[in-house]
Amino acid sequence: MHTRTLLPPMRLKAASLLVAVAAAGCTVGPNYERPKLEPPPLHRSAGPTPESVADLNWWQLYQDAALQALVREGIANNLDLRLAAARVVEARALAGVAKSYLYPEVGVRGGVAGEMKSRVGDPPLPKENVPERTYVSGGLEGTLSWEIDLFGRLRRSNEAAFAQYLATEEGRKAVMVTLVGDIASTYFYLRQLDLELEIARRTVKINDDTVLYYTRRLQGGVSNRLEVDQAKANRAATAVTIPETELQIAIAENALSVLVGRVPGTVARWKPIAENEVPPVVPSGLPAQLLERRPDIRQAEQLLIAANANIGAAKAMFYPTISLTGSAGSLSNAFNNFLSADSLLWTAAAGVFQPLFNGGRIKRNYEAAQARFDQALIQYRRSALNAYREVADALITIQKLAERRVEIESGVEALRDAVQLSRARYDTGLSNYLEVLLADQYLFGAERQLAQLRGSQFRAVTQLYRALGGGWQMEPALPQPGAPPVK
């Protein structure tokens, strides 16, 4: 029997020498430098406010227990967020794979083989003086292979993989920002619809009383049928908005249910938006802070870092590849002389490969890496510009909605007074029923418009919070991919 086994570990001097050779290697390719952007000194439609609402956690911004519960449920169960978390786990593992190539690969190889030779083969074995025609051998050896990263190809690849991992982490945070904003916006839209439904039902109740009132006047011979028909038509025009609003509520509840990771159904919420309820005044901060605060911009920068590192990895392909291989063990035909001095053996080899001609493949790969860097740089600049635009849009929306609210509230107060005056004039015979009808219709439309504007104001604050990059800081721990959803 023949057996091989590993030698004792290589001497420390030799190992130190190999590490020193690897460490002495240069890293080709450009080192990353953050591109210079020129953000505006202030956000458009905003004053100099170093503080930013995005520095608040979502549970500090939204002082609504029902909304906070929905956001927590969404963070735990939303499928898009769980998918993003799974991508982070995958990218972290791939970064570990890339890093493993920096180290030697050590393995053990072994096996057993048997053979029986024929006595009548060519040449035939003699039948005498051959005690054994069956041979069995076993082997066990240790192997070592290591690519010396003299020009930094592996280090650049590791740098790129790690940046890709960080990019997926920032992508997960960007998904969370979007999720928190979508849940809050849909929730405030529901509260707005609740207010519209309350206004419609209240107005229909008044219309019912009006129809009954004029019907009795008709029966008493005081009124005429035209006034009754007009009152009924006005009541129907108002009542038709109720099923329409209820339909919108059901669709919004279904959308919100999916956002929080549950089957479509009803959603618990606070009371409708009150007349005196206004969204908080929120500071926007400085534009330069967006580069550090918004996850989508930080994700774009990590992808830019990865693209920059890939240029170095592609450039290193022009240079030689140096590899070391070796094995050590023992060879014996019996166990009694196993590991004896005469049975020891080892092999070692060093190889160099220098590409000479491959049809321009390495050059084109290098050019492609440079082009991908240019694309990543454009994406980074575009992400920053889009962030400035989104903040500016949200700020001007908040400002103009506040101005509109002042005017609409003034109009609603005037119409409420006009409704009372028109009824009083009608009762005293100074006007016909058309004045009452028009006043009721105008008031109902104005109240609905005011309810819609109130909901838009709350959604605009949510949009500003999302545009500034708020909603992911200090978030609760996410469940691991594959974990059961929170109930």
Side-chain angles (χ1 to χ4, degrees):
M1 173 179 283
H2 303 279
T3 306
R4 290 181 180 180
T5 187
L6 287 172
L7 277 175
M10 188 179 294
R11 292 180 179 179
L12 183 59
K13 260 188 185 177
S16 301
L17 179 61
L18 288 175
V19 172
V21 170
C26 62
T27 304
V28 299
N31 293 323
Y32 175 75
E33 293 183 6
R34 173 178 285 183
K36 292 183 179 179
L37 299 179
E38 297 182 1
L42 298 174
H43 289 297
R44 184 179 180 183
S45 305
T49 56
E51 302 83 10
S52 173
V53 67
D55 294 327
L56 295 176
N57 298 306
W58 54 263
W59 57 86
Q60 295 173 311
L61 177 66
Y62 303 128
Q63 300 295 325
D64 185 320
L67 176 56
Q68 289 179 0
L70 289 169
V71 172
R72 289 190 177 92
E73 186 178 357
I75 291 175
N77 297 338
N78 179 263
L79 297 181
D80 289 334
L81 189 57
R82 292 170 70 86
L83 180 61
R87 290 195 181 111
V88 173
V89 175
E90 177 192 13
R92 183 167 58 235
L94 292 177
V97 172
K99 187 176 182 180
S100 69
Y101 290 109
L102 295 172
Y103 302 100
E105 183 175 349
V106 180
V108 177
R109 183 168 52 220
V112 178
E115 178 185 10
M116 185 174 67
K117 294 187 176 181
S118 172
R119 292 187 182 274
V120 294
D122 187 14
L125 293 177
K127 296 183 180 181
E128 299 178 353
N129 300 325
V130 180
E132 189 72 48
R133 64 173 180 147
T134 302
Y135 301 89
V136 178
S137 63
L140 180 66
E141 65 177 334
T143 62
L144 180 145
S145 62
W146 190 13
E147 179 179 342
I148 304 300
D149 192 28
L150 197 60
F151 299 100
R153 181 180 67 85
L154 298 179
R155 278 170 285 169
R156 289 299 191 190
S157 297
N158 175 57
E159 180 183 346
F162 186 71
Q164 289 279 0
Y165 156 59
L166 294 181
T168 58
E169 174 62 24
E170 296 299 337
R172 181 189 67 82
K173 293 177 181 178
V175 172
M176 173 170 281
V177 169
T178 301
L179 173 65
V180 172
D182 287 347
I183 291 176
S185 294
T186 308
Y187 177 82
F188 287 126
Y189 179 57
L190 273 173
R191 290 188 62 198
Q192 168 198 316
L193 291 175
D194 289 342
L195 179 57
E196 290 186 50
L197 184 62
E198 181 182 282
I199 292 171
R201 287 173 174 171
R202 183 178 69 241
T203 304
V204 168
K205 177 64 171 60
I206 295 174
N207 293 157
D208 287 336
D209 294 340
T210 301
V211 170
L212 180 60
Y213 172 74
Y214 288 111
T215 300
R216 288 176 177 174
R217 284 172 61 91
L218 175 63
Q219 293 172 351
V222 179
S223 182
N224 57 69
R225 189 171 184 83
L226 177 60
E227 291 179 339
V228 175
D229 290 341
Q230 288 176 332
K232 289 181 178 180
N234 184 43
R235 187 261 180 203
T238 303
V240 75
T241 63
I242 292 179
E244 176 185 345
T245 305
E246 291 173 339
L247 171 62
Q248 294 174 339
I249 288 175
I251 292 176
E253 284 183 325
N254 293 341
L256 188 53
S257 296
V258 173
L259 281 175
V260 300
R262 65 168 83 150
V263 296
T266 58
V267 175
R269 50 193 177 274
W270 204 35
K271 61 184 180 181
I273 298 176
E275 290 189 5
N276 59 349
E277 187 177 357
V278 293
V281 178
V282 292
S284 60
L286 300 177
Q289 297 171 334
L290 284 182
L291 300 180
E292 299 296 336
R293 184 180 288 116
R294 279 191 51 143
D296 59 331
I297 299 180
R298 303 195 330 187
Q299 180 185 23
E301 184 176 14
Q302 290 300 329
L303 293 175
L304 182 63
I305 294 173
N308 181 79
N310 283 328
I311 292 178
K315 188 175 183 179
M317 296 296 293
F318 288 101
Y319 297 91
T321 300
I322 303 174
S323 59
L324 301 177
T325 59
S327 64
S330 174
L331 178 64
S332 175
N333 59 359
F335 285 106
N336 56 0
N337 55 9
F338 184 63
L339 287 178
S340 64
D342 292 336
S343 68
L344 299 180
L345 54 87
W346 59 268
T347 62
V352 178
F353 173 75
Q354 172 63 56
L356 297 178
F357 177 77
N358 50 33
R361 182 171 62 249
I362 296 178
K363 181 181 179 182
R364 298 307 179 194
N365 183 64
Y366 178 64
E367 292 173 352
Q370 290 179 313
R372 284 190 290 269
F373 174 81
D374 293 339
Q375 296 172 42
L377 178 59
I378 293 172
Q379 293 278 11
Y380 176 65
R381 294 183 182 277
R382 187 173 67 176
S383 297
L385 284 176
N386 184 62
Y388 301 142
R389 179 189 64 82
E390 289 181 352
V391 173
D393 288 349
L395 287 170
I396 193 64
T397 300
I398 290 174
Q399 177 183 335
K400 296 306 176 182
L401 285 176
E403 294 175 5
R404 287 183 59 197
R405 177 167 180 161
V406 172
E407 300 300 333
I408 294 178
E409 285 180 336
S410 175
V412 168
E413 289 299 321
L415 285 170
R416 286 173 179 170
D417 186 55
V419 167
Q420 294 178 356
L421 290 176
S422 64
R423 292 184 184 277
R425 284 169 54 84
Y426 176 82
D427 291 341
T428 58
L430 296 177
S431 66
N432 56 28
Y433 180 69
L434 183 61
E435 280 189 11
V436 178
L437 179 65
L438 292 177
D440 284 345
Q441 290 175 341
Y442 290 152
L443 176 60
F444 176 61
E447 287 182 331
R448 289 192 68 195
Q449 187 180 15
L450 181 57
Q452 293 167 0
L453 187 141
R454 288 169 180 161
S456 297
Q457 282 187 296
F458 282 94
R459 292 195 299 276
V461 170
T462 298
Q463 180 60 35
L464 177 61
Y465 184 60
R466 176 166 55 185
L468 291 171
W472 61 267
Q473 300 91 335
M474 297 177 61
E475 71 272 18
L478 294 178
Q480 293 297 319
V486 176
K487 298 182 179 179

